[in-house]
Amino acid sequence: MQILSALLAVAKSERQPVYLQIANQLMTLIKDGTLQPGYRLLSTRQLASSIKVHRRMVVQAYDELLAQGWLESHTGNGTFVANNLPAIRRQGPENQVKADSALKKAGFSFEKSQHLNRAVLKSGTRLHLDDGFPDPRLAPVEELSRAYRSQLLHGNPYIRLGYGDTKGAAWLRQELASHLNETRGLKITADNVLIVRGVIMGIHLVSTGLLKPGDHVAVDSPGWFGANMNFIRAGAHIAQIPVDEHGMIVDELEKLCQQQPVRLVYVTSHHHYPTTVALRADRRISLLKLAEKYGFIIFEDDYDYDFHYLSKPLLPVAGADKAGMVLYCGSFSKTISPAFRVGYLVGPEDAITHLALFRRIIDRQGDQMLENAIAELLQTGVVQRHLRKSVRVYKQRRDVFCDLLKTQLGDKVEFEIPDGGMAVWARFDPSIDIEKLAARALQKDLYFSDGSLLKRPGEGKDSIRLGFASSDLSELEESVGIIKDLL
């Protein structure tokens, strides 16, 4: 009695019920070999007395372990550790060390992929010149919360809270079709829309569903590593197509097509990532003609189309597609906030239906409550009003930020004022070690990229994106001041 009572410790102040504490500790003693199969336990009265708990707690603990098969009861003879359990040699101290390390290091082998080894951008510092994120302080959070609450409380709960269409909420797909037709010159219906968690999910689905190992994929250079990681994971060969002040050099793409078959071309047409330049109109036409001629898919990533300041934005390549060669992708991550994971992939109906099958095996459906809430905001015009307000605010921030860069860092940084988007493509003096500068700024509670993710092959890390949209005017001034002091 004394030995078993010494092995059990009950803390009545813990949140876990006392009977579960007893049951879990007995289970651990069986699993580590301390209590062997056939071992006779104390009666419920004896054990309760020895560990000073109410007998009902021990009865419940025994019942729990009997139900799970750890114990067996012999009427009139007592309760025993189940005989059908394998005998386990009692664990020594070295085995405990091994068990503890199992939480840190897997006992099985797996191959680590270098192309996945990229830093994850996270919010954390007080000041930030980030990758080009929106300001969540401007987001229509109150309207969204009311719409979300309405979705939770009203309507048929079986439908509202049950499984829905793998392609996404029908209401949102309908509203998006209308919105994209009106703002981007598309001519689509809800059947052309697949709701995704964001652009990265759209790229993943296309990589999984439309690429085969050995396919050739052409991408912008410099470009977005997030897209490239998916193409590499699919077993594709990446071909880098250079970008100049007018976007992807389509003539270089044509040369590639003449040399080898190209399956897909990934392009950020409106505000190229990372340089922010727009793909010129004549190159858009040439790109579509090449797609028809050589039969490749165009994946058009239009991640921040809505934020353009100079004039009306160029319409997407998808709007002029007459042959069904373009898959068009965007999201509300830049429109509202990255926390709201709702995006859209637009394309021919048969391709969207095909890709929806792949969406189902990684994510049965998205957040129907959120999707319908956003549909309501689109229908009532809240999103449209938010965009008009945000464009005014971000334009002011762009102008102030560019003026600060010119007046405070003009001898150290070169840049072109972007026509749109949420970031400036800044080229630092080659003598400046951006990686060290970013590390020192981080000590001042200011984050900006160290350039490692955007380094061109064979070139130094002298150019980075400096996001201005997520900071107000005083924060922008303080951030540039910190960089000036560090330089």
Side-chain angles (χ1 to χ4, degrees), residues 358-416:
F358 289 88
R359 189 202 195 287
R360 183 177 184 179
I361 64 175
I362 62 168
D363 188 12
R364 168 61 177 78
Q365 66 188 49
D367 183 342
Q368 285 202 114
M369 299 293 101
L370 180 58
E371 290 174 16
N372 282 325
I374 291 178
E376 181 178 325
L377 298 192
L378 280 168
Q379 186 181 68
T380 57
V382 171
V383 170
Q384 294 85 336
R385 290 192 294 273
H386 166 67
L387 286 172
R388 288 194 293 272
K389 173 186 174 183
S390 298
V391 166
R392 291 194 301 270
V393 172
Y394 294 158
K395 182 181 184 298
Q396 182 189 29
R397 292 179 181 181
R398 179 205 65 172
D399 294 343
V400 169
F401 183 57
C402 289
D403 184 64
L404 286 168
L405 289 178
K406 183 177 179 180
T407 57
Q408 303 295 317
L409 304 174
D411 59 334
K412 301 294 185 182
V413 178
E414 294 180 357
F415 64 94
E416 300 293 334

Side-chain angles (χ1 to χ4, degrees), residues 226-475:
N228 293 350
M229 286 194 297
N230 276 280
F231 302 142
I232 293 170
R233 193 68 201 160
H237 300 298
I238 304 293
Q240 307 274 349
I241 306 299
V243 170
D244 62 15
E245 67 272 20
H246 303 301
M248 177 185 281
I249 303 176
V250 179
D251 288 344
E252 294 297 320
L253 173 62
E254 184 169 17
K255 292 177 184 177
L256 176 68
C257 292
Q258 291 168 351
Q259 296 169 5
Q260 61 193 30
V262 173
R263 174 59 172 164
L264 182 142
V265 173
Y266 169 82
V267 61
T268 46
S269 58
H270 197 53
H271 301 134
H272 168 255
Y273 183 94
T275 69
T276 76
V277 300
L279 185 63
R280 201 170 58 187
D282 62 312
R283 294 189 182 183
R284 292 168 180 247
I285 296 171
S286 297
L287 180 60
L288 276 172
K289 287 182 177 179
L290 287 180
E292 293 182 39
K293 181 179 179 179
Y294 292 101
F296 58 72
I297 303 162
I298 298 174
F299 188 103
E300 186 176 15
D301 178 352
D302 213 355
Y303 63 97
D304 62 0
Y305 175 88
D306 295 298
F307 302 105
H308 203 72
Y309 316 121
L310 184 62
S311 59
K312 287 192 67 176
L314 286 168
L315 294 178
V317 175
D321 178 23
K322 305 299 183 185
M325 307 304 293
V326 181
L327 294 171
Y328 179 77
C329 199
S331 81
F332 288 94
S333 297
K334 298 292 190 292
T335 305
I336 301 177
S337 173
F340 301 109
R341 307 305 302 163
V342 176
Y344 45 87
L345 182 63
V346 175
E349 288 183 22
D350 58 345
I352 292 300
T353 299
H354 172 70
L355 294 172
L357 301 177
F358 289 88
R359 189 202 195 287
R360 183 177 184 179
I361 64 175
I362 62 168
D363 188 12
R364 168 61 177 78
Q365 66 188 49
D367 183 342
Q368 285 202 114
M369 299 293 101
L370 180 58
E371 290 174 16
N372 282 325
I374 291 178
E376 181 178 325
L377 298 192
L378 280 168
Q379 186 181 68
T380 57
V382 171
V383 170
Q384 294 85 336
R385 290 192 294 273
H386 166 67
L387 286 172
R388 288 194 293 272
K389 173 186 174 183
S390 298
V391 166
R392 291 194 301 270
V393 172
Y394 294 158
K395 182 181 184 298
Q396 182 189 29
R397 292 179 181 181
R398 179 205 65 172
D399 294 343
V400 169
F401 183 57
C402 289
D403 184 64
L404 286 168
L405 289 178
K406 183 177 179 180
T407 57
Q408 303 295 317
L409 304 174
D411 59 334
K412 301 294 185 182
V413 178
E414 294 180 357
F415 64 94
E416 300 293 334
I417 299 176
D419 293 340
M422 301 181 178
V424 170
W425 181 241
R427 297 174 294 279
F428 280 72
D429 187 296
S431 64
I432 297 172
D433 188 324
I434 297 180
E435 192 169 345
K436 289 183 179 178
L437 180 64
R440 292 170 63 201
L442 205 57
Q443 295 175 351
K444 303 282 187 181
D445 215 10
L446 166 64
Y447 166 81
F448 57 85
S449 170
D450 65 3
S452 58
L453 294 178
L454 299 175
K455 181 181 177 182
R456 296 193 198 215
E459 294 186 7
K461 295 181 291 185
D462 60 347
S463 299
I464 58 173
R465 281 169 65 90
L466 296 175
F468 55 81
S470 61
S471 303
D472 63 27
L473 301 185
S474 63
E475 291 165 345

Side-chain angles (χ1 to χ4, degrees), residues 3 16 40 54 63 73 75 101 105 148 184 219 222 239 290 326 344 364 380 385 405 407 426 449 451 457 461 481:
I3 294 176
Q16 188 178 55
R40 181 177 181 176
H54 195 283
D63 287 345
S73 178
T75 305
S101 68
K105 185 175 177 59
Y148 197 96
R184 289 151 171 81
V219 300
L290 287 180
V326 181
Y344 45 87
R364 168 61 177 78
T380 57
R385 290 192 294 273
L405 289 178
T407 57
S449 170
K461 295 181 291 185

Side-chain angles (χ1 to χ4, degrees), residues 210-230:
L210 299 177
L211 294 181
K212 300 190 301 291
D215 281 345
H216 293 274
V217 173
V219 300
D220 297 314
S221 178
W224 186 35
F225 67 91
N228 293 350
M229 286 194 297
N230 276 280

